[in-house]
Each structure stands twice: as structure tokens, then as C-alpha cells.
Amino acid sequence: MSAGSSGVAAAWARGERVMTGAGLLLLTLLAWLYLVLLADSMDAMAGAGRSAIFMALMPMGRWGPAEFALCFAMWLVMMIAMMVPSAAPMLFAFNALSRSRPGRERAGRWSVAFLLGYLLVWSAFSVLATGVQWGLREAALVTDLMASASPRLNAVLLLGAGLYQFAPAKQVCLSRCRSPMGFLLAEWREGARGALVMGLRHGGFCVGCCWGLMALLFVGGVMNLLWIAVLAAVVLAEKLLPFGAMTARVAGVALMAGGLWILALSSG
């Protein structure tokens, strides 16, 4: 390859990295904008009756298919806001590796397929989370404002999530999420279909790593923006920081301590 061709290829690769980063940033910002608007509407509902925006975006009263779909959309957007930033290193690594493979001119499309597979897994998780929220609401354990109405439920969720931070399954999934290139070399499949499958598998490991933390959204309130940001920060720290595995254990101890404290207060 000539020097000129190498320069063009390098410039093209840099452009793809910039486009990938810009796309992920835009997706994340749009998801957070949706959450901010929804949270503002909930505040308006709590202070001065139900706002028009909130009533249009979230289910109230008895649930049916339309209400389930609205709640699913809320959960999916929230998962995008929380999880896409932590998946960015994997997507950048995937794009870089794709550029070294035959058919590298299609690397951008393969990256889209990988992201689609990843989001499909979180979509399935969002369906499950919506069903759980529906059941908790029917049992009067969660309010219309999507916050837990039961201290004991909070204690159980905190203790369960804290214990899971030490579970072997958590450690296995976290190790796969923390090693993008290792995951890709072990799981590599060619073409757009292969990229989709790899995205699905990475999404599976990601859910296996983070589902316990996501369950804690019911503790602080599903639309509590500060709580969402704290949990998203924990996920980022676990996956991206050099001491991420230790962060997971420290978080586990803190969660169990919080659960025991709430349990002691509710039993007193």
C-alpha cells in the first residue's frame, strides 16, 4: 500500500471513529433529554396535578397494552442513557478490529449491527422490567410515580443487589465487559450477521453484569435523575476504571449495609 493510500485509509478510519463517537454521544444525549423532560413532568404532577406531558408519556390508572408500551419505552430509553456510554469502548474496539478485516469498507455498517444487537438485549430486559413494575404496582409496592412504597422491598433489593456483586456470574460477566479486545477476539464472527450476534452476546454479558444494579432503580425511584446518574456512574466505574473489579465489591458492601440498615429501621 502506498503512502498516499495509507494516509487516506488512516483519515477514513479517524472519520469513522469520530462518527461513531458522535453517534453514541447524540443517542445518549437524546435519551437523557427524554428522561429530564419526563422527570420534570413528574415533578409538575406531584406539585400541581398531572401535567399534559407526563400523561402523554407515562401510563396512569389501570394498565393495558398501550400503558405497557409506554412504560417499556421509558425503560428502554433509560437503559440507553445508562448503558450506551459504558459500551462505547467495546464499539470503538469493534470498529478498529473491523477495519483490519476483509470487507473493511463496510465496518461502519457492521458497527451499527453490533449496536443493534446490544440494544436488542436491553430491549428484552426492558420488557421484563416493565412486567416487574406492572406486578409491583398491582401489589401496591410501587406508586404511580414509580417509587417503591415498601421499605422491606427496598431492603430486599439492596441486599440482593449487594450479594450479587460478589457472585461468580457477576465477576465473569464483568471481566468480559472490561476486556473489549479480548471479548472480540474470542467471539469474532464475520459480516453484518456476525456483528449482530456479537452485539447480542455482549449485551447478554452486560445484562448479566448489571441487572442487579438496574433493579435498584425501584429503590431510589425509577425516574429519580440523581439516582439514575449514580447507578450509571457505578456501571461506568466497574467497566472502565483500572480498579473496576474492586469498585464492584465496594459497591456490594455499601448496598448490603444499606439494606440491613433499612431492614433494621422497618423492623423497629
Side-chain angles (χ1 to χ4, degrees):
M1 182 181 292
S2 67
S5 298
S6 297
V8 171
W12 183 264
R14 284 194 299 271
E16 281 200 340
R17 286 195 295 271
V18 171
M19 290 296 293
T20 299
L24 294 176
L25 178 61
L26 179 61
L27 182 62
T28 302
L29 289 176
L30 288 175
W32 275 102
L33 177 61
Y34 175 95
L35 296 180
V36 168
L37 290 174
L38 191 55
D40 284 346
S41 298
M42 290 181 67
D43 289 341
M45 174 185 172
R50 296 178 182 178
S51 72
I53 296 177
F54 183 79
M55 292 176 68
L57 295 177
M58 280 305 302
M60 304 297 295
R62 290 195 62 82
W63 281 35
E67 289 76 17
F68 190 96
L70 285 170
C71 192
F72 161 75
M74 181 273 298
W75 271 99
L76 178 57
V77 172
M78 186 159 50
M79 294 304 99
I80 291 172
M82 297 177 72
M83 303 310 303
V84 166
S86 70
M90 183 69 73
L91 283 160
F92 283 123
F94 174 81
N95 187 267
L97 192 55
S98 297
R99 296 291 305 170
S100 68
R101 308 292 296 183
R104 55 183 174 270
E105 66 279 358
R106 295 188 290 275
R109 281 176 279 178
W110 294 347
S111 295
V112 172
F114 187 98
L115 179 60
L116 177 60
Y118 180 79
L119 294 180
L120 282 173
V121 175
W122 280 107
S123 297
F125 175 86
S126 298
V127 171
L128 178 61
T130 302
V132 170
Q133 183 175 331
W134 191 350
L136 291 174
R137 185 179 175 280
E138 290 297 307
L141 294 174
V142 170
T143 69
D144 276 342
L145 295 177
M146 295 177 286
S148 170
S150 169
R152 293 188 178 231
L153 173 62
N154 289 340
V156 168
L157 290 174
L158 286 165
L159 287 168
L163 286 170
Y164 186 69
Q165 293 292 97
F166 295 90
K170 164 79 178 190
Q171 302 308 314
V172 169
C173 291
L174 180 58
S175 67
R176 303 302 292 272
C177 292
R178 285 178 53 81
S179 305
M181 197 56 70
F183 169 84
L184 293 172
L185 291 175
E187 300 285 346
W188 186 262
R189 294 165 173 81
E190 296 291 346
R193 182 175 180 179
L196 179 67
V197 172
M198 283 188 285
L200 289 168
R201 289 187 61 79
H202 176 51
F205 283 117
C206 196
V207 170
C209 176
C210 301
W211 71 266
L213 294 173
M214 297 302 103
L216 297 179
L217 288 164
F218 290 113
V219 175
V222 174
M223 284 309 304
N224 182 328
L225 292 181
L226 178 59
W227 187 235
I228 293 171
V230 167
L231 293 176
V234 173
V235 170
L236 278 172
E238 287 185 355
K239 292 186 177 183
L240 304 185
L241 294 182
F243 46 85
M246 179 60 68
T247 300
R249 294 183 176 90
V250 171
V253 171
L255 293 173
M256 286 189 288
L260 290 172
W261 181 66
I262 292 175
L263 196 59
L265 290 178
S266 63
S267 300

PDB file of all heavy atoms in Angstrom, residues 87-122:
ATOM      1  N   ALA A  87     -20.744   1.053  26.981  1.00  0.00           N
ATOM      2  CA  ALA A  87     -20.498   0.165  25.839  1.00  0.00           C
ATOM      3  C   ALA A  87     -19.623   0.817  24.780  1.00  0.00           C
ATOM      4  O   ALA A  87     -19.180   0.137  23.846  1.00  0.00           O
ATOM      5  CB  ALA A  87     -21.831  -0.259  25.211  1.00  0.00           C
ATOM      6  N   ALA A  88     -19.359   2.113  24.904  1.00  0.00           N
ATOM      7  CA  ALA A  88     -18.599   2.832  23.887  1.00  0.00           C
ATOM      8  C   ALA A  88     -17.215   2.224  23.636  1.00  0.00           C
ATOM      9  O   ALA A  88     -16.824   2.050  22.466  1.00  0.00           O
ATOM     10  CB  ALA A  88     -18.489   4.312  24.267  1.00  0.00           C
ATOM     11  N   PRO A  89     -16.419   1.873  24.680  1.00  0.00           N
ATOM     12  CA  PRO A  89     -15.109   1.272  24.396  1.00  0.00           C
ATOM     13  C   PRO A  89     -15.204  -0.016  23.567  1.00  0.00           C
ATOM     14  O   PRO A  89     -14.359  -0.262  22.705  1.00  0.00           O
ATOM     15  CB  PRO A  89     -14.543   0.992  25.795  1.00  0.00           C
ATOM     16  CG  PRO A  89     -15.215   1.987  26.682  1.00  0.00           C
ATOM     17  CD  PRO A  89     -16.607   2.105  26.126  1.00  0.00           C
ATOM     18  N   MET A  90     -16.226  -0.825  23.824  1.00  0.00           N
ATOM     19  CA  MET A  90     -16.407  -2.046  23.052  1.00  0.00           C
ATOM     20  C   MET A  90     -16.698  -1.716  21.593  1.00  0.00           C
ATOM     21  O   MET A  90     -16.165  -2.352  20.673  1.00  0.00           O
ATOM     22  CB  MET A  90     -17.539  -2.877  23.648  1.00  0.00           C
ATOM     23  CG  MET A  90     -17.765  -4.215  22.960  1.00  0.00           C
ATOM     24  SD  MET A  90     -16.435  -5.423  23.228  1.00  0.00           S
ATOM     25  CE  MET A  90     -16.731  -5.882  24.946  1.00  0.00           C
ATOM     26  N   LEU A  91     -17.536  -0.710  21.355  1.00  0.00           N
ATOM     27  CA  LEU A  91     -17.876  -0.338  19.984  1.00  0.00           C
ATOM     28  C   LEU A  91     -16.672   0.245  19.252  1.00  0.00           C
ATOM     29  O   LEU A  91     -16.469  -0.023  18.061  1.00  0.00           O
ATOM     30  CB  LEU A  91     -19.039   0.652  19.994  1.00  0.00           C
ATOM     31  CG  LEU A  91     -20.394   0.010  20.257  1.00  0.00           C
ATOM     32  CD1 LEU A  91     -21.408   1.042  20.728  1.00  0.00           C
ATOM     33  CD2 LEU A  91     -20.903  -0.681  18.998  1.00  0.00           C
ATOM     34  N   PHE A  92     -15.872   1.053  19.941  1.00  0.00           N
ATOM     35  CA  PHE A  92     -14.661   1.584  19.314  1.00  0.00           C
ATOM     36  C   PHE A  92     -13.686   0.451  18.971  1.00  0.00           C
ATOM     37  O   PHE A  92     -13.070   0.447  17.900  1.00  0.00           O
ATOM     38  CB  PHE A  92     -13.990   2.599  20.238  1.00  0.00           C
ATOM     39  CG  PHE A  92     -14.664   3.938  20.265  1.00  0.00           C
ATOM     40  CD1 PHE A  92     -15.111   4.478  21.454  1.00  0.00           C
ATOM     41  CD2 PHE A  92     -14.856   4.667  19.101  1.00  0.00           C
ATOM     42  CE1 PHE A  92     -15.738   5.719  21.490  1.00  0.00           C
ATOM     43  CE2 PHE A  92     -15.478   5.910  19.117  1.00  0.00           C
ATOM     44  CZ  PHE A  92     -15.921   6.436  20.317  1.00  0.00           C
ATOM     45  N   ALA A  93     -13.542  -0.500  19.892  1.00  0.00           N
ATOM     46  CA  ALA A  93     -12.654  -1.632  19.628  1.00  0.00           C
ATOM     47  C   ALA A  93     -13.187  -2.470  18.472  1.00  0.00           C
ATOM     48  O   ALA A  93     -12.406  -2.931  17.613  1.00  0.00           O
ATOM     49  CB  ALA A  93     -12.517  -2.486  20.887  1.00  0.00           C
ATOM     50  N   PHE A  94     -14.495  -2.667  18.424  1.00  0.00           N
ATOM     51  CA  PHE A  94     -15.095  -3.430  17.329  1.00  0.00           C
ATOM     52  C   PHE A  94     -14.839  -2.740  15.998  1.00  0.00           C
ATOM     53  O   PHE A  94     -14.465  -3.381  15.005  1.00  0.00           O
ATOM     54  CB  PHE A  94     -16.596  -3.590  17.550  1.00  0.00           C
ATOM     55  CG  PHE A  94     -17.295  -4.243  16.386  1.00  0.00           C
ATOM     56  CD1 PHE A  94     -17.278  -5.612  16.242  1.00  0.00           C
ATOM     57  CD2 PHE A  94     -17.934  -3.483  15.425  1.00  0.00           C
ATOM     58  CE1 PHE A  94     -17.896  -6.228  15.152  1.00  0.00           C
ATOM     59  CE2 PHE A  94     -18.563  -4.070  14.338  1.00  0.00           C
ATOM     60  CZ  PHE A  94     -18.540  -5.452  14.203  1.00  0.00           C
ATOM     61  N   ASN A  95     -15.017  -1.420  15.963  1.00  0.00           N
ATOM     62  CA  ASN A  95     -14.795  -0.679  14.723  1.00  0.00           C
ATOM     63  C   ASN A  95     -13.344  -0.780  14.278  1.00  0.00           C
ATOM     64  O   ASN A  95     -13.052  -0.977  13.088  1.00  0.00           O
ATOM     65  CB  ASN A  95     -15.200   0.780  14.919  1.00  0.00           C
ATOM     66  CG  ASN A  95     -15.161   1.572  13.629  1.00  0.00           C
ATOM     67  OD1 ASN A  95     -14.154   2.194  13.314  1.00  0.00           O
ATOM     68  ND2 ASN A  95     -16.254   1.564  12.898  1.00  0.00           N
ATOM     69  N   ALA A  96     -12.411  -0.658  15.237  1.00  0.00           N
ATOM     70  CA  ALA A  96     -10.992  -0.748  14.900  1.00  0.00           C
ATOM     71  C   ALA A  96     -10.637  -2.125  14.356  1.00  0.00           C
ATOM     72  O   ALA A  96      -9.898  -2.251  13.364  1.00  0.00           O
ATOM     73  CB  ALA A  96     -10.147  -0.425  16.133  1.00  0.00           C
ATOM     74  N   LEU A  97     -11.158  -3.180  14.984  1.00  0.00           N
ATOM     75  CA  LEU A  97     -10.870  -4.533  14.520  1.00  0.00           C
ATOM     76  C   LEU A  97     -11.519  -4.792  13.162  1.00  0.00           C
ATOM     77  O   LEU A  97     -10.935  -5.464  12.305  1.00  0.00           O
ATOM     78  CB  LEU A  97     -11.358  -5.544  15.557  1.00  0.00           C
ATOM     79  CG  LEU A  97     -10.895  -6.994  15.384  1.00  0.00           C
ATOM     80  CD1 LEU A  97      -9.378  -7.078  15.318  1.00  0.00           C
ATOM     81  CD2 LEU A  97     -11.429  -7.865  16.511  1.00  0.00           C
ATOM     82  N   SER A  98     -12.710  -4.259  12.953  1.00  0.00           N
ATOM     83  CA  SER A  98     -13.395  -4.426  11.669  1.00  0.00           C
ATOM     84  C   SER A  98     -12.593  -3.816  10.531  1.00  0.00           C
ATOM     85  O   SER A  98     -12.609  -4.329   9.409  1.00  0.00           O
ATOM     86  CB  SER A  98     -14.782  -3.774  11.716  1.00  0.00           C
ATOM     87  OG  SER A  98     -15.604  -4.387  12.677  1.00  0.00           O
ATOM     88  N   ARG A  99     -11.886  -2.723  10.830  1.00  0.00           N
ATOM     89  CA  ARG A  99     -11.090  -2.049   9.801  1.00  0.00           C
ATOM     90  C   ARG A  99      -9.918  -2.901   9.338  1.00  0.00           C
ATOM     91  O   ARG A  99      -9.351  -2.642   8.266  1.00  0.00           O
ATOM     92  CB  ARG A  99     -10.568  -0.721  10.333  1.00  0.00           C
ATOM     93  CG  ARG A  99     -11.614   0.314  10.669  1.00  0.00           C
ATOM     94  CD  ARG A  99     -12.314   0.851   9.449  1.00  0.00           C
ATOM     95  NE  ARG A  99     -11.362   1.390   8.473  1.00  0.00           N
ATOM     96  CZ  ARG A  99     -11.680   1.755   7.238  1.00  0.00           C
ATOM     97  NH1 ARG A  99     -12.924   1.615   6.818  1.00  0.00           N
ATOM     98  NH2 ARG A  99     -10.773   2.234   6.422  1.00  0.00           N
ATOM     99  N   SER A 100      -9.549  -3.912  10.115  1.00  0.00           N
ATOM    100  CA  SER A 100      -8.422  -4.774   9.746  1.00  0.00           C
ATOM    101  C   SER A 100      -8.872  -6.051   9.048  1.00  0.00           C
ATOM    102  O   SER A 100      -8.024  -6.872   8.665  1.00  0.00           O
ATOM    103  CB  SER A 100      -7.606  -5.133  10.995  1.00  0.00           C
ATOM    104  OG  SER A 100      -8.355  -5.987  11.856  1.00  0.00           O
ATOM    105  N   ARG A 101     -10.181  -6.227   8.879  1.00  0.00           N
ATOM    106  CA  ARG A 101     -10.716  -7.459   8.315  1.00  0.00           C
ATOM    107  C   ARG A 101     -11.085  -7.270   6.845  1.00  0.00           C
ATOM    108  O   ARG A 101     -11.262  -6.137   6.375  1.00  0.00           O
ATOM    109  CB  ARG A 101     -11.967  -7.904   9.095  1.00  0.00           C
ATOM    110  CG  ARG A 101     -11.782  -7.985  10.589  1.00  0.00           C
ATOM    111  CD  ARG A 101     -10.857  -9.094  10.999  1.00  0.00           C
ATOM    112  NE  ARG A 101     -11.398 -10.405  10.639  1.00  0.00           N
ATOM    113  CZ  ARG A 101     -10.801 -11.554  10.939  1.00  0.00           C
ATOM    114  NH1 ARG A 101      -9.641 -11.545  11.580  1.00  0.00           N
ATOM    115  NH2 ARG A 101     -11.343 -12.701  10.602  1.00  0.00           N
ATOM    116  N   PRO A 102     -11.214  -8.363   6.089  1.00  0.00           N
ATOM    117  CA  PRO A 102     -11.708  -8.243   4.715  1.00  0.00           C
ATOM    118  C   PRO A 102     -13.093  -7.597   4.704  1.00  0.00           C
ATOM    119  O   PRO A 102     -13.925  -7.867   5.576  1.00  0.00           O
ATOM    120  CB  PRO A 102     -11.779  -9.704   4.242  1.00  0.00           C
ATOM    121  CG  PRO A 102     -10.797 -10.433   5.109  1.00  0.00           C
ATOM    122  CD  PRO A 102     -10.847  -9.748   6.440  1.00  0.00           C
ATOM    123  N   GLY A 103     -13.328  -6.745   3.721  1.00  0.00           N
ATOM    124  CA  GLY A 103     -14.599  -6.033   3.664  1.00  0.00           C
ATOM    125  C   GLY A 103     -14.653  -4.853   4.602  1.00  0.00           C
ATOM    126  O   GLY A 103     -15.729  -4.413   5.002  1.00  0.00           O
ATOM    127  N   ARG A 104     -13.473  -4.308   4.956  1.00  0.00           N
ATOM    128  CA  ARG A 104     -13.410  -3.229   5.944  1.00  0.00           C
ATOM    129  C   ARG A 104     -14.159  -1.977   5.519  1.00  0.00           C
ATOM    130  O   ARG A 104     -14.478  -1.146   6.351  1.00  0.00           O
ATOM    131  CB  ARG A 104     -11.957  -2.880   6.251  1.00  0.00           C
ATOM    132  CG  ARG A 104     -11.123  -2.516   5.044  1.00  0.00           C
ATOM    133  CD  ARG A 104      -9.679  -2.251   5.473  1.00  0.00           C
ATOM    134  NE  ARG A 104      -8.803  -2.031   4.326  1.00  0.00           N
ATOM    135  CZ  ARG A 104      -8.147  -2.989   3.700  1.00  0.00           C
ATOM    136  NH1 ARG A 104      -8.279  -4.241   4.113  1.00  0.00           N
ATOM    137  NH2 ARG A 104      -7.365  -2.721   2.675  1.00  0.00           N
ATOM    138  N   GLU A 105     -14.465  -1.862   4.216  1.00  0.00           N
ATOM    139  CA  GLU A 105     -15.233  -0.699   3.781  1.00  0.00           C
ATOM    140  C   GLU A 105     -16.652  -0.725   4.336  1.00  0.00           C
ATOM    141  O   GLU A 105     -17.357   0.282   4.317  1.00  0.00           O
ATOM    142  CB  GLU A 105     -15.268  -0.629   2.253  1.00  0.00           C
ATOM    143  CG  GLU A 105     -16.031  -1.758   1.566  1.00  0.00           C
ATOM    144  CD  GLU A 105     -15.201  -3.041   1.425  1.00  0.00           C
ATOM    145  OE1 GLU A 105     -14.013  -3.026   1.840  1.00  0.00           O
ATOM    146  OE2 GLU A 105     -15.743  -4.032   0.901  1.00  0.00           O
ATOM    147  N   ARG A 106     -17.068  -1.881   4.857  1.00  0.00           N
ATOM    148  CA  ARG A 106     -18.401  -1.997   5.453  1.00  0.00           C
ATOM    149  C   ARG A 106     -18.346  -1.958   6.981  1.00  0.00           C
ATOM    150  O   ARG A 106     -19.323  -2.306   7.651  1.00  0.00           O
ATOM    151  CB  ARG A 106     -19.071  -3.290   4.982  1.00  0.00           C
ATOM    152  CG  ARG A 106     -19.350  -3.326   3.486  1.00  0.00           C
ATOM    153  CD  ARG A 106     -20.180  -4.532   3.100  1.00  0.00           C
ATOM    154  NE  ARG A 106     -19.424  -5.766   3.230  1.00  0.00           N
ATOM    155  CZ  ARG A 106     -18.619  -6.268   2.287  1.00  0.00           C
ATOM    156  NH1 ARG A 106     -18.459  -5.615   1.149  1.00  0.00           N
ATOM    157  NH2 ARG A 106     -17.975  -7.407   2.479  1.00  0.00           N
ATOM    158  N   ALA A 107     -17.226  -1.541   7.555  1.00  0.00           N
ATOM    159  CA  ALA A 107     -17.048  -1.549   9.008  1.00  0.00           C
ATOM    160  C   ALA A 107     -18.092  -0.696   9.710  1.00  0.00           C
ATOM    161  O   ALA A 107     -18.569  -1.039  10.798  1.00  0.00           O
ATOM    162  CB  ALA A 107     -15.640  -1.057   9.369  1.00  0.00           C
ATOM    163  N   GLY A 108     -18.464   0.434   9.101  1.00  0.00           N
ATOM    164  CA  GLY A 108     -19.477   1.297   9.718  1.00  0.00           C
ATOM    165  C   GLY A 108     -20.811   0.595   9.856  1.00  0.00           C
ATOM    166  O   GLY A 108     -21.472   0.677  10.903  1.00  0.00           O
ATOM    167  N   ARG A 109     -21.216  -0.122   8.806  1.00  0.00           N
ATOM    168  CA  ARG A 109     -22.487  -0.857   8.861  1.00  0.00           C
ATOM    169  C   ARG A 109     -22.418  -1.990   9.874  1.00  0.00           C
ATOM    170  O   ARG A 109     -23.398  -2.288  10.562  1.00  0.00           O
ATOM    171  CB  ARG A 109     -22.834  -1.396   7.474  1.00  0.00           C
ATOM    172  CG  ARG A 109     -23.435  -0.347   6.540  1.00  0.00           C
ATOM    173  CD  ARG A 109     -23.665  -0.891   5.155  1.00  0.00           C
ATOM    174  NE  ARG A 109     -22.427  -0.881   4.384  1.00  0.00           N
ATOM    175  CZ  ARG A 109     -22.325  -1.351   3.138  1.00  0.00           C
ATOM    176  NH1 ARG A 109     -23.387  -1.885   2.550  1.00  0.00           N
ATOM    177  NH2 ARG A 109     -21.180  -1.284   2.496  1.00  0.00           N
ATOM    178  N   TRP A 110     -21.266  -2.620   9.982  1.00  0.00           N
ATOM    179  CA  TRP A 110     -21.118  -3.693  10.967  1.00  0.00           C
ATOM    180  C   TRP A 110     -21.234  -3.128  12.380  1.00  0.00           C
ATOM    181  O   TRP A 110     -21.803  -3.777  13.268  1.00  0.00           O
ATOM    182  CB  TRP A 110     -19.773  -4.387  10.796  1.00  0.00           C
ATOM    183  CG  TRP A 110     -19.633  -5.122   9.499  1.00  0.00           C
ATOM    184  CD1 TRP A 110     -20.627  -5.432   8.622  1.00  0.00           C
ATOM    185  CD2 TRP A 110     -18.420  -5.618   8.926  1.00  0.00           C
ATOM    186  NE1 TRP A 110     -20.124  -6.096   7.524  1.00  0.00           N
ATOM    187  CE2 TRP A 110     -18.770  -6.227   7.686  1.00  0.00           C
ATOM    188  CE3 TRP A 110     -17.092  -5.614   9.321  1.00  0.00           C
ATOM    189  CZ2 TRP A 110     -17.806  -6.827   6.861  1.00  0.00           C
ATOM    190  CZ3 TRP A 110     -16.140  -6.208   8.497  1.00  0.00           C
ATOM    191  CH2 TRP A 110     -16.495  -6.806   7.289  1.00  0.00           C
ATOM    192  N   SER A 111     -20.707  -1.935  12.595  1.00  0.00           N
ATOM    193  CA  SER A 111     -20.811  -1.311  13.923  1.00  0.00           C
ATOM    194  C   SER A 111     -22.264  -1.038  14.281  1.00  0.00           C
ATOM    195  O   SER A 111     -22.677  -1.215  15.438  1.00  0.00           O
ATOM    196  CB  SER A 111     -20.004  -0.009  13.963  1.00  0.00           C
ATOM    197  OG  SER A 111     -18.622  -0.257  13.809  1.00  0.00           O
ATOM    198  N   VAL A 112     -23.044  -0.599  13.297  1.00  0.00           N
ATOM    199  CA  VAL A 112     -24.471  -0.367  13.531  1.00  0.00           C
ATOM    200  C   VAL A 112     -25.158  -1.677  13.903  1.00  0.00           C
ATOM    201  O   VAL A 112     -25.987  -1.727  14.816  1.00  0.00           O
ATOM    202  CB  VAL A 112     -25.132   0.265  12.297  1.00  0.00           C
ATOM    203  CG1 VAL A 112     -26.652   0.328  12.460  1.00  0.00           C
ATOM    204  CG2 VAL A 112     -24.580   1.669  12.059  1.00  0.00           C
ATOM    205  N   ALA A 113     -24.795  -2.767  13.208  1.00  0.00           N
ATOM    206  CA  ALA A 113     -25.389  -4.072  13.505  1.00  0.00           C
ATOM    207  C   ALA A 113     -25.006  -4.528  14.912  1.00  0.00           C
ATOM    208  O   ALA A 113     -25.836  -5.083  15.642  1.00  0.00           O
ATOM    209  CB  ALA A 113     -24.926  -5.101  12.470  1.00  0.00           C
ATOM    210  N   PHE A 114     -23.756  -4.280  15.303  1.00  0.00           N
ATOM    211  CA  PHE A 114     -23.307  -4.644  16.653  1.00  0.00           C
ATOM    212  C   PHE A 114     -24.113  -3.884  17.704  1.00  0.00           C
ATOM    213  O   PHE A 114     -24.602  -4.471  18.676  1.00  0.00           O
ATOM    214  CB  PHE A 114     -21.815  -4.328  16.797  1.00  0.00           C
ATOM    215  CG  PHE A 114     -21.199  -4.803  18.084  1.00  0.00           C
ATOM    216  CD1 PHE A 114     -20.486  -5.996  18.124  1.00  0.00           C
ATOM    217  CD2 PHE A 114     -21.329  -4.077  19.256  1.00  0.00           C
ATOM    218  CE1 PHE A 114     -19.908  -6.443  19.311  1.00  0.00           C
ATOM    219  CE2 PHE A 114     -20.763  -4.509  20.444  1.00  0.00           C
ATOM    220  CZ  PHE A 114     -20.056  -5.697  20.469  1.00  0.00           C
ATOM    221  N   LEU A 115     -24.258  -2.574  17.503  1.00  0.00           N
ATOM    222  CA  LEU A 115     -25.028  -1.760  18.454  1.00  0.00           C
ATOM    223  C   LEU A 115     -26.482  -2.207  18.495  1.00  0.00           C
ATOM    224  O   LEU A 115     -27.095  -2.251  19.570  1.00  0.00           O
ATOM    225  CB  LEU A 115     -24.934  -0.289  18.071  1.00  0.00           C
ATOM    226  CG  LEU A 115     -25.705   0.696  18.959  1.00  0.00           C
ATOM    227  CD1 LEU A 115     -25.216   0.637  20.397  1.00  0.00           C
ATOM    228  CD2 LEU A 115     -25.590   2.113  18.403  1.00  0.00           C
ATOM    229  N   LEU A 116     -27.041  -2.556  17.337  1.00  0.00           N
ATOM    230  CA  LEU A 116     -28.428  -3.029  17.291  1.00  0.00           C
ATOM    231  C   LEU A 116     -28.583  -4.295  18.119  1.00  0.00           C
ATOM    232  O   LEU A 116     -29.541  -4.431  18.900  1.00  0.00           O
ATOM    233  CB  LEU A 116     -28.847  -3.290  15.850  1.00  0.00           C
ATOM    234  CG  LEU A 116     -30.251  -3.865  15.648  1.00  0.00           C
ATOM    235  CD1 LEU A 116     -31.318  -2.924  16.199  1.00  0.00           C
ATOM    236  CD2 LEU A 116     -30.511  -4.151  14.173  1.00  0.00           C
ATOM    237  N   GLY A 117     -27.647  -5.235  17.981  1.00  0.00           N
ATOM    238  CA  GLY A 117     -27.716  -6.455  18.785  1.00  0.00           C
ATOM    239  C   GLY A 117     -27.644  -6.157  20.269  1.00  0.00           C
ATOM    240  O   GLY A 117     -28.399  -6.728  21.072  1.00  0.00           O
ATOM    241  N   TYR A 118     -26.757  -5.251  20.639  1.00  0.00           N
ATOM    242  CA  TYR A 118     -26.612  -4.854  22.045  1.00  0.00           C
ATOM    243  C   TYR A 118     -27.916  -4.278  22.575  1.00  0.00           C
ATOM    244  O   TYR A 118     -28.379  -4.640  23.670  1.00  0.00           O
ATOM    245  CB  TYR A 118     -25.477  -3.836  22.143  1.00  0.00           C
ATOM    246  CG  TYR A 118     -25.196  -3.331  23.535  1.00  0.00           C
ATOM    247  CD1 TYR A 118     -24.466  -4.098  24.438  1.00  0.00           C
ATOM    248  CD2 TYR A 118     -25.650  -2.085  23.950  1.00  0.00           C
ATOM    249  CE1 TYR A 118     -24.195  -3.634  25.719  1.00  0.00           C
ATOM    250  CE2 TYR A 118     -25.380  -1.612  25.225  1.00  0.00           C
ATOM    251  CZ  TYR A 118     -24.659  -2.392  26.105  1.00  0.00           C
ATOM    252  OH  TYR A 118     -24.399  -1.928  27.372  1.00  0.00           O
ATOM    253  N   LEU A 119     -28.538  -3.380  21.796  1.00  0.00           N
ATOM    254  CA  LEU A 119     -29.764  -2.740  22.258  1.00  0.00           C
ATOM    255  C   LEU A 119     -30.953  -3.692  22.245  1.00  0.00           C
ATOM    256  O   LEU A 119     -31.891  -3.526  23.034  1.00  0.00           O
ATOM    257  CB  LEU A 119     -30.067  -1.516  21.392  1.00  0.00           C
ATOM    258  CG  LEU A 119     -29.057  -0.363  21.509  1.00  0.00           C
ATOM    259  CD1 LEU A 119     -29.470   0.800  20.599  1.00  0.00           C
ATOM    260  CD2 LEU A 119     -28.926   0.112  22.947  1.00  0.00           C
ATOM    261  N   LEU A 120     -30.924  -4.702  21.380  1.00  0.00           N
ATOM    262  CA  LEU A 120     -31.999  -5.698  21.385  1.00  0.00           C
ATOM    263  C   LEU A 120     -32.029  -6.454  22.713  1.00  0.00           C
ATOM    264  O   LEU A 120     -33.107  -6.750  23.246  1.00  0.00           O
ATOM    265  CB  LEU A 120     -31.826  -6.674  20.214  1.00  0.00           C
ATOM    266  CG  LEU A 120     -32.266  -6.171  18.835  1.00  0.00           C
ATOM    267  CD1 LEU A 120     -31.885  -7.183  17.760  1.00  0.00           C
ATOM    268  CD2 LEU A 120     -33.769  -5.910  18.808  1.00  0.00           C
ATOM    269  N   VAL A 121     -30.860  -6.758  23.242  1.00  0.00           N
ATOM    270  CA  VAL A 121     -30.819  -7.459  24.540  1.00  0.00           C
ATOM    271  C   VAL A 121     -31.371  -6.557  25.635  1.00  0.00           C
ATOM    272  O   VAL A 121     -32.165  -7.002  26.481  1.00  0.00           O
ATOM    273  CB  VAL A 121     -29.381  -7.901  24.865  1.00  0.00           C
ATOM    274  CG1 VAL A 121     -29.322  -8.525  26.259  1.00  0.00           C
ATOM    275  CG2 VAL A 121     -28.882  -8.896  23.828  1.00  0.00           C
ATOM    276  N   TRP A 122     -30.988  -5.284  25.637  1.00  0.00           N
ATOM    277  CA  TRP A 122     -31.521  -4.376  26.640  1.00  0.00           C
ATOM    278  C   TRP A 122     -33.005  -4.094  26.407  1.00  0.00           C
ATOM    279  O   TRP A 122     -33.731  -3.762  27.358  1.00  0.00           O
ATOM    280  CB  TRP A 122     -30.707  -3.080  26.679  1.00  0.00           C
ATOM    281  CG  TRP A 122     -29.438  -3.263  27.455  1.00  0.00           C
ATOM    282  CD1 TRP A 122     -28.171  -3.339  26.971  1.00  0.00           C
ATOM    283  CD2 TRP A 122     -29.338  -3.442  28.878  1.00  0.00           C
ATOM    284  NE1 TRP A 122     -27.272  -3.554  27.989  1.00  0.00           N
ATOM    285  CE2 TRP A 122     -27.955  -3.614  29.171  1.00  0.00           C
ATOM    286  CE3 TRP A 122     -30.252  -3.468  29.917  1.00  0.00           C
ATOM    287  CZ2 TRP A 122     -27.498  -3.807  30.478  1.00  0.00           C
ATOM    288  CZ3 TRP A 122     -29.792  -3.670  31.219  1.00  0.00           C
ATOM    289  CH2 TRP A 122     -28.442  -3.834  31.488  1.00  0.00           C
TER     290      TRP A 122
END
